[in-house]
Amino acid sequence: MLPQVAAAAAVAAARQLMFPNSADTVPTCEDQEDHVAMSTSAARRAHDVLLLAQQVVAIELLCAVRGLHLLLEAPAHRGAALGAGTRAAFELLRPQLGSEAPADDIAIVLRHLRDGSLVAAAAAAAGPLPPVVDHA
C-alpha cells in the first residue's frame, strides 16, 4: 500500500505543477510593452513533472516485479514463460529488491530507469525498442 500512496502523492504534485504558467503573469511597466516571458519557469516545472513521472513508473515497475515474483513462486505457475525483455528486466531488478523500506526499492528501480540499464537489459534480450513516433 505504501508504494500506491507514494505514487498518488507524486501524481498530485505533478498536477499542481501543471497549472499554466501564463496564468501567473503580472503586469509590469504600467501595462506598456507588457511581455513577461514565463518560459523559464514553465521549463523548470516540466522538468519537475518528468521527475515525478519517472517515480510513478518506477513504482509501477516495482509492483510488477513483486507480482511476477509471487506468480513465478506459485506452484501452479513455476517455470511460466516471460517475454525475453520482461525476463531480462525482472532478472536485473529482482535480486536487488526486498528492502523493508519501500523507498529503498523505489530508489533502486528509479536508478535503473534513469541510467538506462533497465531498457538496455530488455533491449539486449529482446532487440531494440521501436522509436516513439508522434502522429499528431
Side-chain angles (χ1 to χ4, degrees):
M1 175 107 177
L2 289 176
Q4 179 185 9
V5 171
V11 169
R15 283 185 184 154
Q16 292 170 351
L17 290 169
M18 288 187 244
F19 183 75
N21 278 27
S22 58
D24 284 336
T25 189
V26 177
T28 59
C29 300
E30 298 175 9
D31 293 329
Q32 296 286 321
E33 297 184 28
D34 194 15
H35 303 287
V36 182
M38 303 305 277
S39 54
T40 303
S41 58
R44 282 196 314 262
R45 283 185 181 188
H47 177 261
D48 292 345
V49 169
L50 175 63
L51 296 178
L52 290 165
Q54 288 174 338
Q55 288 179 7
V56 172
V57 170
I59 292 167
E60 292 286 338
L61 287 168
L62 171 62
C63 292
V65 169
R66 287 180 176 175
L68 283 173
H69 175 73
L70 292 173
L71 176 73
L72 297 174
E73 290 296 311
H77 298 287
R78 263 201 193 105
L82 298 177
T86 302
R87 170 72 64 189
F90 178 78
E91 289 175 355
L92 171 70
L93 294 175
R94 180 66 198 119
Q96 300 176 45
L97 302 177
S99 169
E100 290 185 24
D104 294 341
D105 286 344
I106 293 168
I108 289 167
V109 178
L110 191 55
R111 185 185 78 238
H112 285 292
L113 272 176
R114 289 183 176 160
D115 71 12
S117 59
L118 185 63
V119 171
L129 298 173
V132 176
V133 178
D134 183 8
H135 295 288

